[in-house]
Amino acid sequence: MILSLVFFTFSFIFYILTTAAYAGYWAFKKKWLGQTATAMAFVALGSTTMILISRAGESGHAPFSNLWESMVLFIWATNAGYLLMEYRHKFKAIGTVVMAIETLSMLSASLLPYRFKSVEPLNPALQNKWKWMMDILSTWGLEKYAIGWLDFHVFTTFIGYAGFAIAFGLSLLFLWKFRAETRNVTNRFVEAFPDSKVLDEMSYRAIAWGFPFLAVGIVSGAVWANYAWGQYWAWDPKETWSLITWFIYAAYLHARVTRGWRGKRAAYLSIIGFAAVIFLYWGVSFILPGLHAYA
Amino acid sequence: MAEKANEAAGGVESRWYRTLGSRIWYFLNSLKLTLFILIGLAVTSIFGTVVEQNQSIEKYIEAYGEQWTSFIYYARLQDMYHAWWFLALLAMLAVNIVVCTFERFPPKWKSLLNHRNDKFDPRLIDKFSHHETVRLNESADTVRAKLEGVLKKRRYGVDSSGSGKEFHLYAWKGRIGRLGSDFTHISLLVILMGAIIGSYYGYKDFTGIIEGKSITVPQADFKLRLDKFWIEYYDTGQVKQYNSVLTVVEDGKDVFQKQIWVNEPLYYKGIRFYQSSYGQAWNKVEEAEIALKLKAKDSLEESFRVKWDSVEKVPGSKYSVKLVGFTGDFAYDEATNTVFSKSPEPNNPAINIEIYDGDKLVSTPWLFMKYPGIFPAIPDSDVDMVYIGHKGLWYSGISINKDPGTNVVWVGTSIMGFGFILAFFVYHRRIWVYIKEEGGSTEVKIGGTINKNQLVFERDIKELTDSITSDSASRGR
């Protein structure tokens, strides 16, 4: 019995329940439903954290080395990011969309073939630990807990992905709300969400987190590639697609300050950007050959 | 050219050649061009990930057919990221950045320096998207002191003017955040510069070295020797790591030794040596296994092993054998009369041996593992030699890379990181307050602007208002 897979099953159930609670809050506007939803989101976050911890224990390294593990990290970061946003802005109905994305991610991770889920030792290229950190930790004999470029690169990249996922959900909501506003549609489903202007602003804030973190992910990948593969940039499909994604979000940031491009077109760019993220993440791994074959 | 732009705007007779400069400038200065370039780079980059880069022409023909292959070569999709049109897009981006910075940075810089001189008009406060008005039962000066205290505690710079019953406050914070975009834009130029330096003055190479052998390093005055190579395995049999011990040899002397593995290169005089692969050597073996064949009996005698470059007595015969050559994928060049290996793969392994009868060299045949007996080892003899197998030698695959632009790229990325912190996490806030005491109560108008994150600022203004109203007995709005 692999403990991490047990926690995964529990988390899957929690995310379904969380989504249902948020949807219930959105539909019925009951305060207790909203509180339940937030509490459930915290339970799901705790459970996702346990997947990562137990997997780290099983494999003996940070749980960032295959597609399944990185999916769990993505789900964890999206949940944490969402809860932070909910705490700061107090718009709970948005949780319906974000948690639906989480549930879909859980579903796709659970459908992965077993070879993408199994506990594997690190191949030579993935074994990277910061020497300075090992030196410090070795004082207490803890050097095996040192992290390296692998951990830093994957972690920062996935914070970026999480930001983009949240922005994607918000951009969808923006388009829907914007349409309702221009057509003067008012009903309680539309009313549950903040103004399109606020949704646009929040979506921008999510990208303002995702964009620099993706950049840090790309740069740390380049630093590491320079160390492991002998060059910082090789136009490998993964590298190129990360740059494509980065260009699209750069375009989004410029669109927001360009007349005729703010609002709807910027929202479309955010949606296209997330499609690029999905391709960068899953498409490249499965379809395009390259050095970056793990996840 | 900026003058020209002003000229045109000033209503000078506009012939096409007079306005051309300003039009080009306007075009290069536009954000729409930025969007066009960014989306253009994103879309075109996709081609290069779909069409595998830098393959042989045969591979393209096999995958896409002849017509598409000629299109691929016409559009340079086989090496897209170095194609002139892709580089032109990058150059356009650079020009766009330079022009935008020239156009926008100086006025921004000036206004950031002179921001305190901005004219103050109380009526404008109500026009800000974030503003509040409150009425308090306190004197104007008390309110001013309180607000000033709160703002300073929140790390705002504060200017106050006025006296008696009327005060103006101007507070600001995070001006440097405005420079984030400039830092980010300039960092991109620095990164591009690093890439250009690398492609002009750097090189990449790959070499396989066998233990004990040295290689000459290109564009350098030293050699590199492989002392030892070994592979570590996990218990499951998967490769855990592969390692090489390398020695730098300068003027015939060993000057530096290091053990390298994947993720741990050797760095010497601006050149990095990476452990990048390993494999079976194609031009040398550790030892070969050979058996004597008696033609009369048509059967093999017991086999024997001969080490590289050493002599072994053949059991049951008068001959001895010396192993002098090996090739993994045998090929023969008739023009130069030489043997070479078609590929590094052991597709057609062959060994070259010298056969001695006592001290006399009898023959030097090539023996083929897959084609035993194709050529007789010893002409006109009743015995033959059969090449049964060999124990291969590993070579260590070392990537050699010199890229003096790398550090420039890292400088660029550091500037970018700094720029991002300023651009995304430092907000330029400006707050104006108008305080006026009239008929026993004081009216306070608070309003302001932020360059980003409107949602945070809305709360800021509200909190600021609350801080002066919360302990005031009567408050009305």
Side-chain angles (χ1 to χ4, degrees), chain B residues 218-237:
Chain B
Q219 295 180 27
D221 54 357
F222 60 90
K223 289 183 165 198
L224 193 70
R225 188 181 68 229
L226 177 68
D227 295 328
K228 198 168 169 348
F229 171 78
W230 71 100
I231 304 168
E232 289 169 63
Y233 296 93
Y234 287 109
D235 295 338
T236 54

Side-chain angles (χ1 to χ4, degrees), chain A residues 88 120-122 124-125 127-128 131 201 204-205 215 224 226-228 230-232 235 240-241 251 288, chain B residues 31 35 38 49 81 204 234 238 240-241 262-264 274 401 403 409 420 424 427 452-455 459:
Chain A
R88 290 177 90 171
E120 293 289 339
L122 292 176
Q127 290 168 34
N128 183 297
K131 252 196 228 128
E201 185 70 29
Y204 163 73
R205 287 308 304 158
W224 182 20
N226 189 43
Y227 219 65
Q231 47 188 347
Y232 60 86
W235 294 104
T240 310
W241 268 95
L288 301 174
Chain B
L31 268 172
L35 287 172
L38 286 173
T49 64
Y81 305 108
K204 288 187 208 49
Y234 287 109
Q238 286 159 288
K240 185 180 181 187
Q241 194 54 274
V262 181
N263 272 312
E264 185 61 44
Y274 298 87
N401 188 4
D403 188 345
V409 171
F420 277 157
F424 291 118
Y427 317 120
K452 283 191 175 113
N453 209 350
Q454 308 294 335
L455 299 174
R459 224 174 21 234

Side-chain angles (χ1 to χ4, degrees), chain B residues 249-462:
Chain B
V249 183
E250 218 167 356
D251 302 327
K253 272 178 290 184
D254 296 5
V255 289
F256 185 57
Q257 190 185 47
K258 187 180 180 187
Q259 178 185 340
I260 67 163
W261 57 88
V262 181
N263 272 312
E264 185 61 44
L266 179 154
Y267 183 77
Y268 191 75
K269 285 197 171 169
I271 304 177
R272 279 171 188 263
F273 301 91
Y274 298 87
Q275 181 77 66
S276 73
S277 65
Y278 59 90
Q280 292 274 348
W282 60 87
N283 55 2
K284 196 177 173 185
V285 288
E286 196 175 332
E287 61 179 30
E289 190 177 1
I290 300 171
L292 187 73
K293 186 179 173 186
L294 301 175
K295 282 182 178 168
K297 273 165 72 181
D298 198 26
S299 70
L300 296 184
E301 299 291 296
E302 200 180 329
S303 68
F304 64 98
R305 284 155 188 266
V306 54
K307 287 212 178 326
W308 183 262
D309 209 25
S310 67
V311 184
E312 195 69 33
K313 184 94 183 69
V314 181
S317 83
K318 58 179 180 175
Y319 299 110
S320 47
V321 162
K322 185 179 182 189
L323 178 59
V324 293
F326 171 80
T327 175
D329 194 357
F330 185 90
Y332 181 70
D333 186 359
E334 283 180 359
T336 57
N337 199 20
T338 49
V339 168
F340 64 97
S341 191
K342 264 194 291 192
S343 73
E345 309 302 322
N347 292 329
N348 183 16
I351 51 169
N352 193 199
I353 53 172
E354 290 173 350
I355 302 176
Y356 293 90
D357 180 356
D359 285 342
K360 197 175 98 208
L361 180 64
V362 182
S363 71
T364 54
W366 278 93
L367 304 181
F368 297 86
M369 195 195 287
K370 289 186 178 164
Y371 310 102
I374 186 168
F375 302 115
I378 311 162
D380 309 322
S381 160
D382 54 349
V383 295
D384 200 1
M385 304 275 178
V386 177
Y387 163 30
I388 293 174
H390 62 253
K391 189 171 165 196
L393 262 182
W394 292 107
Y395 71 82
S396 173
I398 307 284
S399 288
I400 305 172
N401 188 4
K402 181 182 171 186
D403 188 345
T406 310
N407 287 331
V408 179
V409 171
W410 298 150
V411 169
T413 56
S414 309
I415 297 173
M416 183 186 274
F418 182 63
F420 277 157
I421 292 171
L422 296 186
F424 291 118
F425 305 110
V426 178
Y427 317 120
H428 183 204
R429 297 165 161 97
R430 304 179 79 184
I431 294 175
W432 287 270
V433 185
Y434 177 63
I435 304 166
K436 189 166 167 68
E437 190 178 332
E438 220 169 23
S441 70
T442 302
E443 188 189 51
V444 185
K445 282 174 183 284
I446 302 176
T449 60
I450 190 170
N451 65 331
K452 283 191 175 113
N453 209 350
Q454 308 294 335
L455 299 174
V456 159
F457 197 56
E458 204 174 310
R459 224 174 21 234
D460 279 0
I461 295 286
K462 220 178 155 322

Side-chain angles (χ1 to χ4, degrees), chain A residues 266-289:
Chain A
Y268 284 130
L269 275 175
S270 150
I271 290 165
I272 293 168
F274 189 63
V277 169
I278 293 176
F279 193 80
L280 158 64
Y281 185 17
W282 280 59
V284 176
S285 305
F286 284 111
I287 299 168
L288 301 174

Side-chain angles (χ1 to χ4, degrees), chain A residues 60-219:
Chain A
H61 54 78
F64 305 150
S65 69
N66 66 23
L67 198 53
W68 183 85
E69 291 169 5
S70 64
M71 274 308 278
V72 176
L73 178 63
F74 167 73
I75 289 158
W76 180 87
T78 308
N79 193 346
Y82 168 75
L83 283 171
L84 198 70
M85 190 177 82
E86 190 189 285
Y87 171 74
R88 290 177 90 171
H89 300 299
K90 322 272 186 236
F91 296 122
K92 286 195 178 191
I94 293 164
T96 319
V97 178
V98 177
M99 289 304 151
I101 294 172
E102 293 282 70
T103 306
L104 280 175
S105 307
M106 281 310 260
L107 180 68
S108 47
S110 71
L111 292 175
L112 279 171
Y114 186 72
R115 69 196 155 95
F116 294 106
K117 295 181 184 173
S118 53
V119 177
E120 293 289 339
L122 292 176
N123 73 33
L126 291 183
Q127 290 168 34
N128 183 297
K129 291 196 169 183
W130 289 326
K131 252 196 228 128
W132 57 266
M133 196 165 179
M134 288 176 78
D135 289 347
I136 294 171
L137 289 176
S138 65
T139 333
W140 304 282
L142 297 172
E143 63 268 25
K144 78 173 199 179
Y145 296 105
I147 61 165
W149 285 117
L150 165 70
D151 314 288
F152 185 81
H153 166 65
V154 176
F155 194 75
T156 48
T157 306
F158 276 80
I159 291 180
Y161 288 3
F164 296 143
I166 293 171
F168 165 74
L170 288 164
S171 294
L172 285 181
L173 285 175
F174 166 84
L175 287 175
W176 180 60
K177 180 89 185 186
F178 188 73
R179 210 175 74 145
E181 280 171 4
T182 45
R183 294 182 182 186
N184 279 321
V185 178
T186 46
N187 56 50
R188 62 186 171 132
F189 295 111
V190 179
E191 291 301 301
F193 291 106
D195 290 353
S196 66
K197 238 183 159 175
V198 177
L199 287 169
D200 175 59
E201 185 70 29
M202 287 170 76
S203 169
Y204 163 73
R205 287 308 304 158
I207 288 172
W209 277 92
F211 185 71
F213 270 99
L214 177 65
V216 172
I218 292 174
V219 170

